[in-house]
Each structure stands twice: as structure tokens, then as C-alpha cells.
Amino acid sequence: MSLFSNIDFLPKTASQTIHRLKKIGILTYWDLLNYYPFRIQFYPKPQLISKVVVQVNNENLFTNEFKLSNQITIRGEITKILNVSTKNGRHVQKATLKDESGQMNLIWFNQYYLLSLIKPGSLIQISGKLDQIRGTRSVLVESYELLNNLSDVGIHTGGLIPVYSEKNGLSSRLIREKIYHLLKAYIDEIYDYLPQEIINKYQLIDLRHAISNIHTPIDEHNFELAKHRLAFDEIFILQLKSKIQREQRKRLKVKTQMVETNEIIDKLNQFEEELPFKLTHDQKIAVGELVLDLKKNEPMNRLLQGEVGSGKTVVALIAAYFSYLNGKKTLILAPTEILCQQHFTTLTKLLKNKLKILTLTGSNKTKSGDIKDADIIIGTTALIFKKKYPNVGLIVIDEQHKFGVVQRAKLKNIAQHPHLLTMTATPIPRTVLLTLYGQLDVSRIKELPQERIKTKSFLVPYDKREKAYEWIRKKITTEHIQVFIVCPLIDQSDVETMKDIKAVSREFETLKTQVFPKFRLSLLHGKMKSAEKKRVMTEFTQGTIDILVSTPVVEVGIDIPNAAIIIIESSDRYGLAQLHQLRGRVGRGSIQSYCLLFSENRNPTTQNRLKVFTSTVNGFELAEYDLKNRGAGEIFGTKQHGIPHLKIADFSDFDLVEKTQEAADYVMSRPSLIKSPEITKMLNNLSTDLYSQD
Ligand code: ADP
Ligand code: MG
């Protein structure tokens, strides 16, 4: 047996436990040692019963904790234990513990089974809270353990006790026990894979010490040092992996290299001049970066990040046009049919028949001849992955965070090392970018086209709902604007379930018959037939629908300039960045727009979060706020593909991310280090699949 043995061999462990461990991704001893506690419980060291007074134990490191909680640890022999039923049908287990200096009453609640474990004569150590109950001193036991010898050191009591999150029926106590014994047996096998110069430079403690002190800390200080070291590793490994992927991709070659002849430059300029608007400064820079990438013989892998409505589509279109001028097709992938349809309309308008555009959606039939003739093919992933496409130079993925890793992996079936442009409106904070998207080059569009008016946002107090509806009715009547009403998905997932469809349909009926009976309402959700969806979207675009009631799934990227109000129901269920995306559905024309948040959740923290949202239109500020307060998952939605869950590090720790970045670059610049068995082993132990197209 060794540190990397299969978890199946874990000694004295029930097969059900092994099974449960595997289910949460713990496959080896090493994996188990890397299951970190989420906090440490401080219990004082054992003391004699005669010395126990409701007073401070000065030996205790964490004096204040102790003072407040009156926690104590004692050990000795059980002289009596019995079960007492109380009037309200509960059970109390009462015991007496004796040591050389005196005796003490112990109390547990509703743990009847204890009587079969703890018997008169049992040696036991307990930690708990000292209390006066009906004039008698007693300890309400929080943690106990049986001892073989009164000189034994406790695992669950007396000292700094790690507390693990209880998953899949695995108790913290059980995990603690398993880890404790593993650690004892294999601690000497843990060696450090980080190069010594990095350990020195960033003043890290060594790995053996870190693993030991995260589970069984000598003191609080060493626990913090351990946390820091392990957090460093966690981010460092992700970054290194992502940098290696980037290097590997750089070594690939595109099939035919694109060029920028004078003729092509002229055509591009002319195209820009003929656009119905002037490109913003950031758009121009992004176009420049794209063209530069497209001319290289290594495949581009660039992320175009820009606020909702900042005009990413036209930037992608220019790249597609450049590819076209080089005799190459462009594939555009969008997450929903509605978006595909919209892209088609936009591109057709902007291109004025210069290029042949084809949409691949469920409803239309395509012949292979059409595909061969098309210069730009727009489709959802479901359809695009089904066919082969000749001569593809560029693939554009819109709203890339909606695509899973598997789908991205299939891209290589479409074309050999194509140029890849991914676009997102999600304001990904820099720390997250550096860690998870290190293999991408990034272009950013920070500014919105000039004539835009900032959307005003309000958190509507729960008793003002009717007033808000009244105000909306007036707005529609007098200003002929259009309204979105977004209903939440019940399970907060990325996909609509039948339950969600039912809920949104019910809400739609209420709104239509009771709230807005005089207006034209339509329902839109992902499970509708494509023809139906298309009809609703066309009507909404043409203004024959006043209010569109939908789930959040279908909205991504929709561009309706006359829509000036968006209502978001149960807004507390979204991350702020997601709310920001939804808000981006309005404020796209030249009229004042409004975003109204409804929420039944009156928790002050929640209300505060939503108020922060109403106070700024800066997506990055919002993403940073959620990153600090709720973690990275919030930024991308709760069930986001491809975002690894960080065990111990924190994306809001900017300083840490900078340092690990520097360290990863250092390793990358030294081939002997990258190829070292230590680093290789470490990389192999990372199971998380990063965003990667290859
Ligand atoms: P997003 O970045 O959210 O995908 P779109 O590409 O859909 O944004 O653009 C939003 C709207 O802004 C579209 O109607 C587009 O025609 C328009 N637009 C794009 N660039 C400009 C610009 N430079 N000036 C004015 N309007 C623009
Ligand atoms: Mg878009």
C-alpha cells in the first residue's frame, strides 16, 4: 500500500463507505488526504474534573472562544449511563463520568444508540459545554470518543478538531477518523513537487507539513499556513495546466494561412464604411487583434468579452468577412435557435447580400449543396455537430459559457485546427480569467455604443407590485414600448424542466387574464416548437406583442431595441452577473429603459445584494461583488459546465492568483521543470477538465 493506493484498500472500512467516497470523487488515499476540512473546531485540552470551573482555562490558546462558550474536555470512566424519556417524547441520555479528581454529569439528546456503545466501565473522552441544569453542573456533550487507554490522544475531542462537509451520507466524524489514520501511516510518503525556489520565493510551507496541518493542526497559525500552501497549489496547478494546453495548441498549424492583401484591406475598409454605424474604439481594437490572429499559421484561440449590447456580433462578422475574402467559410454557433435566427437577420442586414448565409435550425431542411455554397453557416450545436463542413477557416462560438466541455471537444471533428473565436458577455473577473482561461487570448469591449442611455434599475418593494404593474400599463399605452417578464427556472439549472414550463405557463395565464388583460401577451420557452418560437420572436420584433413572458433560458443575446422594460421575477435566485445579462435585454435602443426586480426573499443580505445590482450598470463590478460574497459559481450560473469547484483557494484572492501566475510562468520557462516527474504527477492528479478545444 502506498499514498496513491486505490481507495478500495482503505483498512477497516465498510464497502458502503468506500462506495460513497468514490461517488464524491475520492478514488485514492491521496484524494482522501486532499479532502480538506471547511473549518476547525477548537476544544480545550483535557483537564481534571476538580479543576473544571465556569472560568477561563489559561492554558487554552483560544481563550476568548472558551470564555464565551464554556467548553471543556474531560476524560475518565463511565460509572452510569441511562436513557430518560422526557414529557415531550424526546430522549435524553444521562451518564456519569469519573476521573481521579471527581465526577461529572454528561448529557446527550436523542442519541439512544449510545447506550449500546458506552457502558459502565467504558473509558471515554468528551468535549462539550459546561452548564448548570437544575442546580447541578452538567456537560452537554458535543463530541465524544471511546479510549483504550486513558493516555490515548483524542481524534474527535480535546484540541483542534477538523470539521468536514458531510456529503453523500459520509459523516464528518467518519471522514476525520479515516484521514487521521491515513495521515499517520503515510505522512512520510508525501514529498513536495513544487520546485524549491518557488517554495522559498513565496515563503510556502512544505507539502507534508501542509497536509498534516490542514487536518491535524498544531495551532491556528500553522492551520493558516497550511491553507495558504494548499490554496497556492490549487490555483497554480490549474494555471500551469492551462498554460501547457496553450503551448500545445500553439504548435498546431492551420490548414491554409490567411493573408491580408491590399485588395483585402480595401474591401475591409469599405465594409466598415458601409456599416450603419461607426465602430467604437474598442470594437476597432478587437477587429485588429482578430485579423492579426487570423493571419498567423497557428490556430487562434481568442475570447471576445464585452458587455451585453457592446456590439460583439459585428466584430465577429468582420472576422468572418476576412475569412471569406480568403476563401474560407465561417461557422457561427449559438446556444438557442432564437439567437441563430437573430444572427441571421442581423448579418443579412449588415452584409447586404455580399455573402451567402445559411441557418441550420431544426425547422429548415438543408441540402449539402447549400452547405457547400454558404459562406457563413449559423446553427445551434446540436445541428452543427451532425454534419461535415468543407473548408472552414473560422468557428465563432457565441455566449460560449452556455456550451459544455464535451460539445467544445467535438469542434475538432468539424475542421482541422480552425481559428476559434469565443464570445461572452459574462464579466469574468481577472482572477478567474487568469486561472481558468489562461489558454485563451482575450479581447475586451468595454464601452457601449455612444447613443445608449443607461438602464434604470429598481428593487420593487413587495407591497408595490400592483403599483409597478399600473406604471407599466401606462408606459405601454402612452409610449408604445415593449416589456419582458422573466420567470425563473424552479431548480435553478441551465435547462428547462416540465415543471418550469408549467410554472411559466401558469404565470403567463395569470398575467394575461388578470394583470394585463388589455394588452397583447405571448409566452416563450425553450420547449416550444421552433416554428412557434420563430413566430413569437418575429411578432415581438415587429411590435405586435406588448409583453413577452419567458423563462431565462431563451433570452440570451436577444436584441429588441423597442423593449424598454424588463421585469425579473424571483431575482434573488440569480447571480448578479446573470441578472446583468438579463438586464442587457433592454437599453438597446435610444429610449430610456428600466429593469424591475421582484423578490419575495426579505433576507437583508439578499436585499442588499439586489440593491448593489440596482446601483451600478458595470458588469465587472457586479461580478467582483458576487465573487467576493458568493463565489465563482454565481458568475456563470449555478450549474455551470467546466468551472471547477475550488476546494480551498478563492478566486477573490487577487494577490494569490498573481503570485501563482508568476510561479507558473517560471515553471513554463524551464522545460526541465515542466517535464520533471514531480510536476507531471501533480498535473495527472488534477482531474478537472479545463476549457480546451483540443
Ligand atoms: P452583443 O455584444 O450583446 O452581442 P450585439 O452585437 O447584439 O451586442 O449588438 C447590439 C446592438 O448594437 C445591435 O443592434 C448592433 O447593430 C448595434 N451596434 C453594434 N455596434 C455598434 C456601434 N458601434 N454603434 C452603434 N450601434 C452598434
Ligand atoms: Mg450577442
Side-chain angles (χ1 to χ4, degrees):
M1 292 300 113
S2 79
L3 191 56
F4 293 96
S5 288
N6 196 306
I7 201 74
D8 283 319
F9 301 118
L10 199 63
K12 293 186 195 157
T13 308
S15 61
Q16 191 190 35
T17 302
I18 304 261
H19 185 69
R20 286 174 169 170
L21 285 169
K22 283 183 179 168
K23 269 214 143 150
I24 59 169
I26 295 174
L27 306 179
T28 64
Y29 290 4
W30 179 240
D31 288 343
L32 185 52
L33 289 180
N34 281 284
Y35 191 82
Y36 311 133
F38 66 92
R39 73 180 175 93
I40 292 287
Q41 171 75 43
F42 307 118
Y43 288 125
K45 288 264 169 335
Q47 59 179 144
L48 286 176
I49 291 175
S50 62
K51 296 269 164 65
V52 170
V53 268
V54 188
Q55 223 183 52
V56 188
N57 174 358
N58 282 327
E59 272 168 26
N60 187 347
L61 255 170
F62 308 100
T63 314
N64 288 333
E65 291 268 323
F66 182 52
K67 213 188 265 173
L68 289 173
S69 63
N70 259 342
Q71 265 159 338
I72 62 159
T73 300
I74 50 176
R75 53 164 75 182
E77 187 185 328
I78 293 289
T79 54
K80 198 168 78 183
I81 179 159
L82 57 120
N83 190 63
V84 184
S85 310
T86 62
K87 273 182 225 142
N88 51 19
R90 305 210 320 158
H91 290 277
V92 179
Q93 292 70 45
K94 291 187 174 177
T96 310
L97 179 74
K98 178 186 90 174
D99 73 4
E100 62 197 76
S101 71
Q103 56 180 29
M104 178 73 82
N105 295 326
L106 309 181
I107 291 176
W108 287 266
F109 293 105
N110 290 317
Q111 296 184 44
Y112 192 82
Y113 66 92
L114 283 177
L115 273 79
S116 61
L117 293 174
I118 305 171
K119 305 226 153 82
S122 298
L123 301 182
I124 185 175
Q125 174 164 296
I126 62 104
S127 288
K129 213 173 264 173
L130 188 62
D131 210 345
Q132 294 278 349
I133 294 178
R134 295 204 195 94
T136 339
R137 286 192 318 170
S138 303
V139 181
L140 305 177
V141 180
E142 289 172 8
S143 191
Y144 73 91
E145 61 199 302
L146 292 165
L147 306 176
N148 288 323
N149 257 306
L150 280 179
S151 55
D152 284 357
V153 181
I155 303 177
H156 307 292
T157 56
L160 304 178
I161 308 301
V163 183
Y164 300 89
S165 65
E166 308 200 320
K167 278 189 199 149
N168 203 23
L170 295 158
S171 71
S172 173
R173 190 182 173 93
L174 180 127
I175 297 171
R176 185 184 303 132
E177 211 158 290
K178 299 296 169 198
I179 290 181
Y180 179 86
H181 292 296
L182 264 191
L183 208 53
K184 236 172 135 178
Y186 297 102
I187 184 81
D188 291 335
E189 280 188 33
I190 299 175
Y191 58 87
D192 218 312
Y193 47 73
L194 269 189
Q196 195 58 44
E197 52 265 53
I198 288 179
I199 292 181
N200 294 346
K201 178 160 184 203
Y202 300 103
Q203 298 178 340
L204 303 170
I205 59 171
D206 73 75
L207 189 60
R208 183 179 303 165
H209 194 69
I211 295 280
S212 162
N213 274 275
I214 200 74
H215 297 295
T216 52
I218 326 174
D219 54 30
E220 196 182 22
H221 178 62
N222 275 278
F223 178 68
E224 290 304 323
L225 291 178
K227 244 165 69 177
H228 180 69
R229 163 68 209 251
L230 297 171
F232 186 97
D233 285 20
E234 189 170 31
I235 301 265
F236 171 79
I237 295 168
L238 286 169
Q239 288 179 334
L240 192 63
K241 182 135 182 171
S242 145
K243 281 175 196 293
I244 289 171
Q245 282 173 355
R246 183 192 189 121
E247 283 300 309
Q248 284 166 345
R249 191 178 165 89
K250 276 196 164 158
R251 263 177 256 135
L252 303 174
K253 297 275 171 288
V254 294
K255 216 165 159 201
T256 16
Q257 199 170 341
M258 299 191 199
V259 291
E260 192 180 26
T261 58
N262 284 339
E263 191 190 350
I264 289 181
I265 293 174
D266 288 345
K267 284 204 165 136
L268 278 182
N269 286 340
Q270 192 193 342
F271 183 77
E272 265 189 55
E273 271 159 35
E274 285 173 8
L275 286 174
F277 43 72
K278 268 183 69 162
L279 291 183
T280 62
H281 175 76
D282 287 349
Q283 279 175 318
K284 277 193 186 146
I285 289 182
V287 166
E289 287 167 339
L290 283 174
V291 169
L292 210 61
D293 279 0
L294 290 174
K295 289 189 297 185
K296 292 182 186 159
N297 68 356
E298 75 194 41
M300 165 170 89
N301 195 12
R302 185 171 284 277
L303 175 71
L304 177 59
Q305 194 183 28
E307 286 272 356
V308 255
S310 61
K312 295 182 289 293
T313 317
V314 68
V315 173
L317 174 60
I318 296 173
Y321 188 53
F322 181 75
S323 304
Y324 160 78
L325 295 174
N326 273 281
K328 292 282 176 188
K329 279 191 210 316
T330 296
L331 295 187
I332 300 180
L333 278 74
T336 63
E337 277 185 27
I338 295 168
L339 252 189
C340 290
Q341 208 47 53
Q342 184 184 290
H343 279 321
F344 179 78
T345 315
T346 315
L347 297 196
T348 311
K349 206 167 64 193
L350 295 176
L351 282 166
K352 298 189 216 120
N353 294 325
K354 274 199 189 66
L355 275 63
K356 285 193 237 30
I357 314 173
L358 179 70
T359 46
L360 279 183
T361 61
S363 50
N364 59 3
K365 299 254 180 303
T366 34
K367 287 172 252 140
S368 52
D370 296 340
I371 289 176
K372 207 161 160 251
D373 285 348
D375 302 311
I376 296 178
I377 301 168
I378 306 171
T380 57
T381 42
L383 293 147
I384 289 256
F385 289 131
K386 276 191 187 152
K387 294 201 172 72
K388 282 252 175 254
Y389 302 88
N391 209 19
V392 170
L394 169 68
I395 298 181
V396 179
I397 307 182
D398 196 14
E399 308 293 348
Q400 59 84 31
H401 67 282
K402 293 272 167 191
F403 294 99
V405 177
V406 183
Q407 286 176 316
R408 277 189 296 262
K410 283 188 188 163
L411 282 174
K412 66 171 177 232
N413 298 338
I414 294 180
Q416 219 193 354
H417 320 315
H419 291 294
L420 215 58
L421 171 65
T422 44
M423 306 202 286
T424 185
T426 306
I428 309 166
R430 206 173 112 75
T431 49
V432 181
L433 261 184
L434 287 178
T435 309
L436 301 179
Y437 299 79
Q439 72 278 43
L440 300 176
D441 293 307
V442 181
S443 295
R444 266 189 187 175
I445 308 181
K446 284 179 235 121
E447 55 191 354
L448 294 179
Q450 293 259 302
E451 68 268 32
R452 298 284 161 77
I453 304 169
K454 277 185 191 151
T455 299
K456 289 185 179 161
S457 307
F458 302 96
L459 174 57
V460 182
Y462 52 87
D463 54 349
K464 294 274 162 58
R465 182 181 278 268
E466 193 35 55
K467 269 211 166 116
Y469 284 149
E470 186 49 47
W471 176 77
I472 291 169
R473 287 190 277 259
K474 210 186 266 159
K475 277 287 221 196
I476 303 176
T477 316
T478 55
E479 296 174 31
H480 307 292
I481 51 109
Q482 289 165 284
V483 179
F484 284 105
I485 298 182
V486 182
C487 301
L489 294 184
I490 295 160
D491 292 332
Q492 309 198 15
S493 78
D494 264 3
V495 284
E496 293 170 324
T497 60
M498 279 324 288
K499 224 162 54 182
D500 295 320
I501 305 304
K502 276 206 192 110
V504 71
S505 308
R506 223 179 302 124
E507 177 68 15
F508 171 69
E509 281 309 316
T510 314
L511 288 167
K512 191 180 156 91
T513 55
Q514 291 166 32
V515 185
F516 300 106
K518 297 210 180 79
F519 299 92
R520 298 164 299 180
L521 275 74
S522 272
L523 175 65
L524 185 67
H525 61 70
K527 292 253 178 354
M528 279 161 48
K529 296 224 167 63
S530 359
E532 189 67 358
K533 279 193 241 175
K534 205 160 148 185
R535 185 184 59 78
V536 172
M537 277 320 293
T538 312
E539 285 179 12
F540 196 53
T541 314
Q542 290 168 349
T544 51
I545 292 173
D546 302 309
I547 301 174
L548 186 70
V549 182
S550 81
T551 62
V553 171
V554 287
E555 46 56 48
V556 194
I558 288 178
D559 189 29
I560 314 276
N562 192 47
I565 298 177
I566 183 165
I567 288 186
I568 304 172
E569 290 286 352
S570 302
S571 50
D572 52 279
R573 297 209 197 166
Y574 300 92
L576 295 186
Q578 284 177 296
L579 281 181
H580 184 62
Q581 288 254 27
L582 287 168
R583 174 166 61 185
R585 303 284 71 81
V586 298
R588 296 183 152 239
S590 46
I591 37 174
Q592 176 63 57
S593 292
Y594 302 88
C595 171
L596 306 187
L597 303 183
F598 286 153
S599 167
E600 304 299 321
N601 188 332
R602 295 183 207 170
N603 177 315
T605 320
T606 308
Q607 294 269 318
N608 255 336
R609 236 178 104 244
L610 296 175
K611 283 197 187 119
V612 167
F613 175 77
T614 60
S615 70
T616 177
V617 289
N618 184 321
F620 277 95
E621 266 176 43
L622 294 172
E624 298 279 351
Y625 180 90
D626 258 1
L627 186 66
K628 282 205 188 77
N629 294 284
R630 316 223 311 179
E634 287 299 324
I635 296 168
F636 306 91
T638 28
K639 289 195 182 152
Q640 185 50 52
H641 311 280
I643 303 297
H645 162 73
L646 293 185
K647 286 194 290 193
I648 195 160
D650 186 344
F651 279 123
S652 65
D653 192 342
F654 192 78
D655 191 50
L656 178 71
V657 174
E658 291 266 282
K659 281 181 179 154
T660 48
Q661 171 81 356
E662 208 178 82
D665 281 335
Y666 176 85
V667 171
M668 285 304 284
S669 65
R670 282 164 185 74
S672 61
L673 281 181
I674 307 170
K675 295 206 175 73
S676 70
E678 289 82 10
I679 295 266
T680 308
K681 192 156 205 170
M682 169 192 77
L683 287 170
N684 290 343
N685 281 328
L686 175 78
S687 57
T688 322
D689 200 355
L690 292 177
Y691 276 135
S692 158
Q693 280 81 21
D694 297 299

